[in-house]
Amino acid sequence: MVAHIGGTVWLRQLRAPAQPRAVLVCFPPGGGSVGAFRALAREFDSGTAVFAVQYPGRQDRLGEPALPDLAATAEAITADLRTWPPAPLALFGHSMGATLAFETARRLEAQGRTVTHLFASGRIAPDAPYTGDLHRGSDSDLIDELARLADDPASVEILRTEPGLAELVLPAVRDDYRAVETYVHRPGEPLRCTVSVLLGDDDPTVTAEQAQRWRGHTTGEFELTTFPGRHFYLDDRPAELARFLTARLG
């Protein structure tokens, strides 16, 4: 059983069983918050404690400035995780969150903390070539991209007609795109933990062939699994995803 752990500056508790056997830390996609994982957290049984990272500039951290890059963010999250009692941790990251979870995992392992599993969802490998400059574009450009990724593009179009909502949402989106588009992978020791890569079979941001590149980032076991759906397949399949994760969390 895992000793009691609680929320921190960066981490919010979404499922808190009294005696969990596993701890899963979730990293939201760009522009997202801990709310991205509330539905997923409800699907786990009492054996899994679920936490999610709350990025600055949204929800209860709305007044805080964004951190400039993914490496600095990973450093801050790692420092918070190290305040917990020693416990095996599994990390799940979606989209931008997958890269951030990877950077956090490599820091934890370098500092002697056990990471049992990295689940990288909907994202190219950290060292894969990537070009993008959306963070320098207009608000309309950002909305176009959000609509391209959304399962229901109409749900994003409201940002064009509701300037107050756009003013609330788009700064965090732009900050996260800046972090992603300026990210530079620095070679280092591969992870030792198991890496599971997950993606929707119709994801416009990464193909199964591209996702295979994650294999080179661990000396541990590797698997690639596709789910029916697009980039945000996990929003439609929380129960199925929770079963998949639980089976691998042991």
Side-chain angles (χ1 to χ4, degrees):
M1 295 297 178
V2 176
H4 174 74
I5 53 179
T8 68
V9 172
W10 283 86
L11 300 158
R12 304 292 179 270
Q13 197 168 50
L14 298 183
R15 186 169 185 85
Q19 293 183 311
R21 297 182 301 274
V23 181
L24 179 67
V25 180
C26 300
F27 295 69
S33 67
V34 297
F37 298 110
R38 291 195 187 280
L40 176 64
R42 287 194 291 268
E43 299 294 339
F44 285 93
D45 61 23
S46 60
T48 305
V50 182
F51 290 79
V53 176
Q54 186 73 295
Y55 305 138
R58 59 217 74 188
Q59 293 189 338
D60 59 330
R61 303 188 71 184
L62 187 61
E64 298 181 42
L67 287 181
D69 57 61
L70 296 185
T73 303
E75 291 283 356
I77 296 167
T78 301
D80 258 24
L81 288 171
R82 283 183 55 80
T83 67
W84 285 356
L89 300 175
L91 311 182
F92 176 97
H94 182 66
S95 196
M96 178 190 82
T99 306
L100 190 51
F102 164 77
E103 288 290 347
T104 302
R106 69 195 312 206
R107 284 164 172 76
L108 287 169
E109 287 197 343
Q111 295 173 25
R113 300 298 289 258
T114 300
V115 177
T116 60
H117 215 120
L118 171 65
F119 299 97
S121 171
R123 184 65 181 154
I124 59 174
D127 64 334
Y130 179 80
T131 58
D133 205 29
L134 271 171
H135 74 278
R136 299 182 188 276
S138 66
D139 284 355
S140 182
D141 292 336
L142 287 175
I143 295 170
D144 287 345
E145 177 67 3
L146 295 178
R148 183 177 78 93
L149 299 181
D151 289 337
D152 178 15
S155 66
V156 176
E157 291 299 323
I158 192 174
L159 295 174
R160 301 190 197 275
T161 58
E162 297 290 342
L165 182 60
E167 186 177 344
L168 186 65
V169 171
L170 291 182
V173 174
R174 188 179 300 278
D175 287 337
D176 289 350
Y177 268 96
R178 179 183 296 109
V180 168
E181 292 172 347
T182 59
Y183 169 74
V184 177
H185 172 260
R186 289 177 169 77
E189 291 295 320
L191 298 175
R192 298 185 294 275
C193 65
T194 298
V195 172
S196 294
V197 176
L198 302 79
L199 69 154
D201 59 9
D202 195 27
D203 190 326
T205 70
V206 57
T207 66
E209 182 180 8
Q210 290 171 324
Q212 287 284 351
R213 189 164 178 150
W214 279 95
R215 185 185 298 271
H217 289 280
T218 184
T219 59
E221 295 182 13
F222 174 86
E223 66 173 337
L224 172 62
T225 303
T226 58
F227 292 81
R230 302 185 74 252
H231 186 58
F232 289 105
Y233 72 91
L234 64 171
D235 292 346
D236 298 325
R237 301 175 176 277
E240 182 180 345
L241 180 56
R243 288 194 296 271
F244 175 93
L245 297 174
T246 298
R248 285 149 180 81
L249 292 172

